[in-house]
Amino acid sequence: MARKPQTPSTPAEHSPALDNALRDHQPGAGRADYATEPGNAGETHQNVQQGEPGAYLTDNFGHRLADNQNSLKAGERGPALLEDFILREKIFHFDHERIPERIVHARGSGAHGVFEVTKAIPELTKAGLFQEAGKTCPVFVRFSTVAGGAGSVDTPRDVRGFAVKFYTEEGNWDLVGNNIPVFFIQDAIKFPDLIHSVKMEADRGYPQAASAHDTFWDFVGLMPESIHMIMWAMSDRAIPRTLRTMEGFGVHTFRLVNAKGEGHFVKFHWKPVQGLESLIWDEAVKIAGADPDFHRRDLFEAIERGAFPAWDLGVQVFDEAFAAKQPYDVLDATKLVPEEDVPVQIVGRMTLNRNVDNFFAETEQVAFLPSNVLPGIDFSNDPLLQGRLFSYLDTQKSRLGTTNFHQIPVNAPKCPFHNMQRDGLMQTLVPTGRANYEPNSLNEAGEDSGPRASPETGFTSFRENGERNDPTEKVRVRAELFADHYSQAALFFHSQTQSEQAHIASALVFELSKVSLDHVRARVLSRLRNVDETLAQRVADGLAVDLPEKAPAARKPVAMKPSDALSIQKQAKNTFEGRKVGILFAEGSDKATIDTLKQGIEKAGGAVVLVAPKVGGIAVKGGTLKADGQLDGTPSVMFDAVASVLMPEAAAKLAQQGAAVQWFMDAYGHCKTIAHCPGTQVILDKAGVEKDEGVVPNEDLLKVGPVRHFAREPKVRALA
């Protein structure tokens, strides 16, 4: 039902100034007509018609805005300018909207570890960390979801934050990224709008930790630059199996600068040593109910048992000449550099080997800043990165309440630090002497005169600022290649396996089915036609709607060669390392068979959880056996593969229990390996489990492995 506009009553005795505060400040006051026009890079501008009465978009002091889509830059590909009061006010207000919980990335899990350089790269960077192989430093890592609050669940469809703090001899380096290499927007000025749209709808406070609702997809439909990210977000990348089996990316293009002052562009990658693995959507939903802390618990328990998660740090390095030849702009955060064009060089390995001692003191209070870089690592003119350099420092002050947040142990560098900054709320250091300014000559009187600048070894910005940019212009525009919003979205889709493509189509159907506004669904479908016609048709068919006309593309897409590196299934590893197998048993089960299975799995690097109808000691053939989990509370969605050792009589009893039947039904539906004994057949039949290459006798479990059998999927669910 359409809502009637609410006009607050205004008593006559109120002053015009108070009337303005009460009425004209309301969003939408006046309901102005507007014209929708594309910008030079295809971004959507909605502008008040000249001469029409109504609501003009202003800053908080009433200044009308001419452009709410682009930050002010020194040239169309230049850095953002500090004088952009519109950007600063918008980000400043956004950063302070909530306290003390993070506005985004509120739900996080952290751990300590160590980083070791495996390949020195002094020819690329003067950063001391990378001067010799074998050099190490401590790290702290925080993984997170983006959209949900701190009390939400671990397994929603969402981007995952992947932030690493390196405690080096030259200071802290914070590599603040995600598990997806691209982002929704090209310019930081749109970040508040993006997050407002994906968060709980403002009038009703739901849905929590979900993008399947009107406002998010309305934003996406009006922001063609988001389409590439939507392909990733609707893929299995957004529902990782564990935090240990997802990649990490720096997202932005950074610079490496060597001792000679020579610079190269760089993109950072984290490659999980254990390989990539994801959930199936139905599995993600069920895990959210079975264990809202599934990812947090998995990370904690893996480290606790000594199965330390590890990632290789890789770099893609290229120069301006390469960048200038590409059909995309390397400063555009909605684009990636295909690994086939620029291979990823592995330069180090990070291993997480210690859980936090106190969740609040460390995981909650850790503060990451993209501006924390080492001499030899620098920024590019990426307009999204430029905004983050301002935003993160500001938001830490809001969350942690003081400019001295760097003194919190998890944030403090592990090398000496000295400066003239003093006092402030929660000052815990006790500087001595009078030297709180420089230059000073107090040393001439025998006093400590404090620290001084170090031109030779200190941080110096990369001097060249050309980047095919005219810095003499101050403009609110985007570079020409930023207008291609579909080529890499198509590249991602065409790089997936058939089942992964079906998952993307099905995710789009699910999300858009939650959208109640017909015109929003139609607009998104019109965008999808620029990615792949068959994808758009599959989604339209899944929604039972007609396919609308194709949306005009701001720049004609170009065909790009598919990349295997973009597919989870093509990168999957068939290994028990880090995997968890559930073994179901009951009274009378053969303990020797269970022990043999358990020993084989553990020898191969896996972990075993024994599941039974009861958790106390159960009489089995060969003695008694205690379960790790009770059947009703330990569903098969918790495991990477399952096995069962049951006597026919016990199996017949379990076949009457919904939890037992569902245990196998879910494992089969989620395309997991099911190993079983002959006695289990009665439950398998009732669960609809048909024999295939993943349904095997117990003795074949180690041979088949804990892999997904996606050839089974068309038999167990309807996919778009």
Side-chain angles (χ1 to χ4, degrees):
M1 179 182 296
R3 298 182 181 180
K4 295 180 179 179
Q6 296 179 347
T7 304
S9 58
T10 307
E13 64 270 18
H14 286 175
S15 69
L18 186 57
D19 288 347
N20 182 67
L22 286 175
R23 201 154 78 184
D24 287 349
H25 180 66
Q26 296 300 314
R31 298 292 197 277
D33 291 331
Y34 57 82
T36 299
E37 302 168 355
N40 69 297
E43 74 273 18
T44 301
H45 291 256
Q46 292 181 336
N47 302 323
V48 174
Q49 302 262 33
Q50 185 68 29
E52 289 289 331
Y56 293 91
L57 187 64
T58 73
D59 66 8
N60 283 340
F61 298 95
H63 307 122
R64 295 181 184 179
L65 309 188
D67 187 339
N68 188 40
Q69 308 302 319
N70 299 289
S71 55
L72 187 65
K73 297 180 283 291
E76 69 173 23
R77 304 183 72 251
L81 295 175
L82 187 61
E83 72 179 69
D84 190 352
F85 65 91
I86 297 170
L87 169 68
R88 286 189 286 113
E89 180 193 272
K90 191 173 181 181
I91 297 291
F92 176 79
H93 192 281
F94 174 73
D95 286 344
H96 294 261
E97 285 183 0
R98 303 208 210 336
I99 58 170
E101 181 178 294
R102 287 171 168 88
I103 296 176
V104 289
H105 298 278
R107 182 170 180 81
S109 304
H112 297 273
V114 63
F115 175 77
E116 180 179 2
V117 175
T118 56
K119 178 185 178 183
I121 49 174
E123 72 282 5
L124 295 175
T125 177
K126 63 181 179 182
L129 180 62
F130 293 106
Q131 296 310 296
E132 57 184 77
K135 196 169 185 64
T136 64
C137 73
V139 296
F140 185 83
V141 180
R142 188 176 187 273
F143 305 103
S144 56
T145 54
V146 171
S152 57
V153 298
D154 276 353
T155 58
R157 179 177 296 280
D158 199 358
V159 186
R160 297 311 192 277
F162 195 126
V164 182
K165 186 180 291 290
F166 299 78
Y167 302 96
T168 84
E169 296 172 353
E170 297 178 295
N172 291 355
W173 173 31
D174 293 352
L175 185 52
V176 192
N178 290 327
N179 73 323
I180 291 175
V182 294
F183 203 61
F184 293 96
I185 53 174
Q186 297 173 327
D187 194 304
I189 201 170
K190 299 310 298 173
F191 192 68
D193 299 301
L194 165 67
I195 300 304
H196 284 169
S197 78
V198 77
K199 281 284 190 176
M200 299 176 290
E201 297 202 358
D203 59 346
R204 62 203 69 183
Y206 64 84
Q208 170 71 266
S211 55
H213 58 95
D214 287 354
T215 58
F216 174 70
W217 286 96
D218 185 35
F219 180 84
V220 167
L222 292 167
M223 299 291 288
E225 67 204 65
S226 298
I227 292 297
H228 186 197
M229 181 66 167
I230 286 300
M231 292 294 104
W232 287 79
M234 295 299 109
S235 79
D236 297 340
R237 296 274 183 160
I239 45 174
R241 175 68 187 172
T242 69
L243 300 173
R244 299 177 289 118
T245 53
M246 69 181 190
E247 289 184 306
F249 303 89
V251 179
H252 305 288
T253 298
F254 291 86
R255 282 191 183 275
L256 295 179
V257 184
N258 64 21
K260 298 177 182 178
E262 299 165 337
H264 293 81
F265 287 125
V266 63
K267 283 186 172 288
F268 294 105
H269 295 246
W270 290 109
K271 300 283 188 181
V273 174
Q274 193 174 319
L276 287 169
E277 191 176 2
S278 63
L279 294 170
I280 288 172
W281 173 239
D282 179 68
E283 195 176 20
V285 172
K286 289 175 176 173
I287 289 175
D291 185 0
D293 307 302
F294 181 70
H295 284 161
R296 181 174 293 174
R297 190 187 311 276
D298 174 87
L299 179 67
F300 185 94
E301 291 180 348
I303 295 174
E304 194 79 356
R305 68 174 181 267
F308 300 141
W311 288 261
D312 288 328
L313 177 64
V315 293
Q316 282 180 298
V317 180
F318 52 96
D319 58 19
E320 174 64 24
F322 170 86
K325 295 176 182 177
Q326 303 314 303
Y328 52 88
D329 198 313
V330 300
L331 302 185
D332 180 353
T334 69
K335 307 297 191 298
L336 55 81
V337 177
E339 295 184 30
E340 287 76 7
D341 295 344
V342 181
V344 175
Q345 304 178 51
I346 302 301
V347 297
R349 174 165 291 190
M350 176 176 70
T351 304
L352 301 185
N353 55 19
R354 180 166 67 88
N355 283 311
V356 299
D357 294 313
N358 183 279
F359 183 87
F360 176 80
E362 297 173 280
T363 305
E364 276 303 291
Q365 290 196 125
V366 68
F368 295 93
L369 304 174
S371 53
N372 275 352
V373 293
L374 306 176
I377 301 173
D378 206 343
F379 316 114
S380 73
N381 290 345
D382 174 346
L384 182 61
L385 173 60
Q386 293 281 319
R388 292 179 75 198
L389 298 178
F390 164 77
S391 176
Y392 276 64
L393 180 62
D394 180 59
T395 199
Q396 305 307 345
K397 165 63 175 67
S398 176
R399 286 195 61 251
L400 300 173
T402 170
T403 56
N404 292 315
F405 68 85
H406 61 282
Q407 296 178 22
I408 297 172
V410 72
N411 296 321
K414 299 186 186 298
C415 64
F417 66 99
H418 312 283
N419 55 52
M420 304 297 189
Q421 290 156 200
R422 295 290 186 269
D423 306 335
L425 181 66
M426 295 302 294
Q427 174 59 254
T428 61
L429 303 179
V430 186
T432 58
R434 294 191 289 173
N436 61 356
Y437 63 96
E438 70 90 26
N440 70 63
S441 61
L442 298 178
N443 61 314
E444 296 178 22
E447 299 183 37
D448 183 351
S449 65
R452 295 295 188 274
S454 175
E456 292 77 22
T457 59
F459 180 84
T460 54
S461 296
F462 184 64
R463 297 187 64 172
E464 294 180 19
N465 188 33
E467 297 188 11
R468 291 172 283 134
N469 176 62
D470 180 2
T472 63
E473 292 184 292
K474 294 191 296 185
V475 293
R476 290 188 187 275
V477 298
R478 301 187 189 186
E480 181 182 355
L481 287 178
F482 276 47
D484 181 0
H485 305 306
Y486 302 112
S487 296
Q488 292 209 351
L491 163 66
F492 179 78
F493 183 72
H494 296 146
S495 298
Q496 309 302 301
T497 65
Q498 288 187 2
S499 66
E500 287 174 312
Q501 290 181 351
H503 294 170
I504 293 172
S506 298
L508 284 161
V509 170
F510 173 82
E511 298 258 330
L512 292 174
S513 72
K514 300 293 185 180
V515 173
S516 63
L517 304 174
D518 292 343
H519 74 277
V520 171
R521 283 201 302 266
R523 185 181 292 121
V524 174
L525 286 169
S526 73
R527 302 283 190 206
L528 291 176
R529 294 190 67 176
N530 287 293
V531 177
D532 185 90
E533 286 285 357
T534 60
L535 170 63
Q537 189 63 62
R538 289 164 74 172
V539 176
D541 291 344
L543 294 167
V545 299
D546 293 332
L547 196 60
E549 291 185 11
K550 180 188 291 189
R555 185 179 178 89
K556 185 179 180 180
V558 297
M560 301 183 70
K561 186 178 179 181
S563 168
D564 287 349
L566 305 183
S567 164
I568 292 176
Q569 292 182 18
K570 294 174 184 177
Q571 300 297 315
K573 295 183 178 180
N574 186 359
T575 176
F576 279 96
E577 285 284 347
R579 305 294 198 261
K580 192 178 289 186
V581 180
I583 300 179
L584 179 63
F585 74 99
E587 291 184 8
S589 295
D590 185 11
K591 185 174 183 296
T593 301
I594 295 171
D595 288 343
T596 299
L597 275 172
K598 188 172 186 290
Q599 291 165 8
I601 293 165
E602 291 177 343
K603 184 178 180 181
V608 171
V609 176
L610 299 180
V611 181
K614 301 176 182 178
V615 295
I618 296 177
V620 295
K621 181 182 177 182
T624 60
L625 195 59
K626 186 177 180 180
D628 301 308
Q630 193 260 348
L631 177 60
D632 286 357
T634 316
S636 64
V637 293
M638 314 296 286
F639 308 118
D640 300 289
V642 298
S644 62
V645 180
L646 299 170
M647 294 297 289
E649 298 82 0
K653 287 184 180 180
L654 286 177
Q656 305 307 310
Q657 296 186 28
V661 175
Q662 194 68 45
W663 208 78
F664 290 100
M665 187 180 295
D666 279 345
Y668 185 69
H670 300 150
C671 304
K672 294 175 182 175
T673 298
I674 300 174
H676 63 94
C677 63
T680 309
Q681 193 61 48
V682 62
I683 309 179
L684 299 183
D685 291 342
K686 193 166 184 178
V689 175
E690 301 177 8
K691 184 173 178 58
D692 60 25
E693 74 282 355
V695 180
V696 298
N698 282 327
E699 53 268 26
D700 290 342
L701 174 59
L702 292 177
K703 181 171 61 178
V704 174
V707 294
R708 302 273 187 170
H709 305 275
F710 285 108
R712 179 193 303 164
E713 197 163 24
K715 296 192 295 185
V716 296
R717 69 176 50 82
L719 293 168

